[in-house]
């Protein structure tokens, strides 16, 4: 008998199946129906009484449908006697809404954390949070893991002669430190400023030497792509020989795919923390699996 049962929401079933393969257990059975009035019905088809359960659901479109599905799935597992429920959320929604940066707005990341717990989850597993303090919004045991080793493993297989790691924002430098330690590469920083609540930031200056180098931009996620594309253009203007980008979460929202296709980025390396549909699979896109990291972290919950 397996020590726990793993369920998947409909946001990323391929990732859930891959995690199950690494764990050597079958994906537990459940079914979700979306009615014409946009109500959801979630049914579990395996007995969970007295069982430890894991639910994998990431934040991907349609976001609010998938989040509601997560809440209902956790609540249903609790109602049918699950002993514990670990919510695995590879890409956590509303994570940028972690503070009141302008008057009159709410801290929605904290609200989502409350809803996950209220729905019945007894612990949570998160991956590369944009704002690390969001982990503190949970009152239940919450564990954060990183795609760092997965992404570093890919880079180690590349020619990194004259490569430099680049932070697209001075505030993100702390997230590059593990990459510097693992790869022993120099660092450059793009000093950018955001003057309003749009998705566009403006580059002010470059700190560090990128002339003639392979510049590797590192960020936690790419949403609209505006920042990373302007950073790539700035790096080439400052003398970089080529530009790659590395990120955990390929959100690629809005016009991101068109921007990436037209950008001077030579390579975009991401993970499958969110599904990348066929129409977003650019030739320059490299998708690495985060399933081994999640599988190991899940096992750690029941060790």
């Amino acid at each position: 008998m397996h020590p726990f049962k793993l369920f998947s929401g409909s946001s990323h079933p391929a990732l859930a199946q891959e995690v199950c393969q690494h764990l050597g257990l079958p994906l537990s059975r459940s079914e979700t129906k979306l009615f014409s009035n946009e109500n959801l019905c979630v049914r579990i088809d395996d007995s969970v009484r007295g069982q430890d359960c894991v639910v994998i659901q990431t934040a991907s479109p349609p976001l609010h449908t998938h989040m509601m599905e997560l809440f209902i799935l956790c609540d249903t597992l609790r109602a049918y006697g699950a002993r514990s429920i670990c919510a695995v959320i590879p890409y956590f929604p509303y994570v940028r809404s972690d503070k009141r940066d302008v008057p009159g707005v709410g801290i929605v990341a904290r609200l989502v954390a409350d809803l996950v717990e209220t729905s019945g989850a007894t612990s949570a597993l998160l991956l590369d949070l944009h704002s690390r303090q969001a982990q503190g919004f949970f009152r239940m045991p919450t564990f954060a893991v990183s795609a760092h080793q997965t992404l570093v493993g890919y880079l180690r297989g590349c020619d990194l002669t004259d490569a430099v790691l680049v932070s697209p924002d001075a505030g993100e430098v702390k997230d590059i430190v593990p990459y510097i330690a693992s790869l022993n590469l120099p660092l450059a920083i793009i000093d950018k400023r955001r003057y309003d609540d749009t998705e566009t930031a403006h580059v002010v200056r470059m700190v560090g030497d990128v002339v003639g180098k392979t510049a590797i931009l590192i960020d936690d996620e790419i949403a609209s792509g505006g920042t990373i594309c302007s950073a790539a253009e700035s790096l080439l203007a400052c003398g970089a020989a080529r530009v790659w980008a590395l990120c955990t979460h390929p959100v690629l929202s809005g016009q991101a795919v068109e921007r990436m296709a037209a950008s001077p980025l030579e390579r975009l390396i991401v993970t499958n923390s969110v599904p990348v549909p066929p129409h977003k699979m650019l030739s320059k896109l490299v998708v690495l699996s985060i399933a081994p990291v999640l599988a190991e972290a899940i096992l750690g919950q029941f060790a």
Side-chain angles (χ1 to χ4, degrees):
M1 184 177 180
H2 296 290
F4 56 87
K5 292 193 173 185
L6 193 149
F7 291 84
S8 172
S10 56
S11 65
H12 204 343
L15 176 60
Q17 285 283 6
E18 194 175 348
V19 170
C20 281
Q21 290 172 7
H22 282 279
L23 292 171
L25 58 82
L27 184 64
S28 295
R29 296 171 299 160
S30 66
E31 181 182 5
T32 298
K33 291 183 179 180
L34 178 63
F35 296 109
S36 59
N37 62 356
E38 298 189 11
N39 284 190
L40 288 170
C41 176
V42 178
R43 174 181 174 179
I44 56 172
D45 295 319
D46 279 353
S47 174
V48 297
R49 184 168 301 279
Q51 293 282 310
D52 295 312
C53 295
V54 176
V55 178
I56 297 181
Q57 184 83 317
T58 198
S60 65
L63 171 61
H64 298 108
T65 297
H66 286 152
M67 287 300 100
M68 194 66 193
E69 182 186 24
L70 171 63
F71 303 149
I72 296 173
L73 187 48
C74 288
D75 181 69
T76 304
L77 290 170
R78 176 176 58 181
Y80 281 88
R83 181 169 66 178
S84 68
I85 303 166
C86 177
V88 179
I89 311 174
Y91 179 54
F92 188 73
Y94 288 98
V95 71
R96 292 179 181 270
S97 181
D98 63 321
K99 57 186 177 297
R100 293 189 175 95
D101 46 3
V102 294
V105 301
I107 302 176
V108 187
R110 186 196 61 206
L111 172 62
V112 175
D114 288 344
L115 290 171
V116 172
E117 184 173 2
T118 299
S119 68
T122 54
S123 64
L125 178 63
L126 313 173
L127 174 71
D128 281 343
L129 288 168
H130 177 73
S131 301
R132 294 182 182 180
Q133 63 264 33
Q135 184 177 354
F137 294 153
F138 289 87
R139 291 166 295 187
M140 60 187 178
T142 304
F143 307 93
V145 295
S146 177
H148 159 253
Q149 289 299 334
T150 301
L151 295 168
V152 163
Y154 175 85
L155 289 179
R156 282 181 173 147
C158 302
D159 181 6
L160 297 180
T161 305
D162 291 328
V164 57
L165 302 178
V166 182
S167 173
D169 188 313
E172 304 299 326
V173 173
K174 62 184 181 302
D175 295 326
I176 296 187
V177 171
Y179 292 90
I180 296 173
S182 297
L183 298 168
N184 194 29
L185 292 175
L187 169 68
I189 304 169
I190 297 175
D191 184 7
K192 69 180 183 182
R193 308 292 166 85
R194 197 180 300 273
Y195 299 105
D196 49 35
D197 60 357
T198 67
E199 296 181 324
T200 302
H202 303 274
V203 175
V204 177
R205 65 179 63 86
M206 185 75 62
V207 180
D209 179 22
V210 299
V211 176
K213 298 181 181 295
T214 298
I216 305 174
L217 285 158
I218 296 181
D219 210 344
D220 62 300
E221 70 175 73
I222 295 178
S224 68
T227 296
I228 211 77
C229 289
S230 65
E233 292 168 358
S234 297
L235 285 164
L236 289 178
C238 291
R242 64 190 57 84
V243 182
W244 297 356
L246 197 78
C247 84
T248 300
H249 308 297
V251 180
L252 302 178
S253 58
Q255 300 300 309
V257 173
E258 292 80 4
R259 285 174 176 158
M260 291 294 162
S263 78
L265 279 174
E266 184 178 291
R267 200 177 303 184
L268 174 59
I269 305 112
V270 302
T271 80
N272 62 344
S273 66
V274 295
V276 182
H279 71 276
K280 293 185 179 182
M281 283 299 297
L282 300 168
S283 59
K284 64 180 71 178
L285 191 65
V286 177
V287 182
L288 308 175
S289 178
I290 203 65
V293 172
L294 295 179
E296 182 179 357
I298 290 169
L299 279 178
Q301 304 295 304
F302 302 101

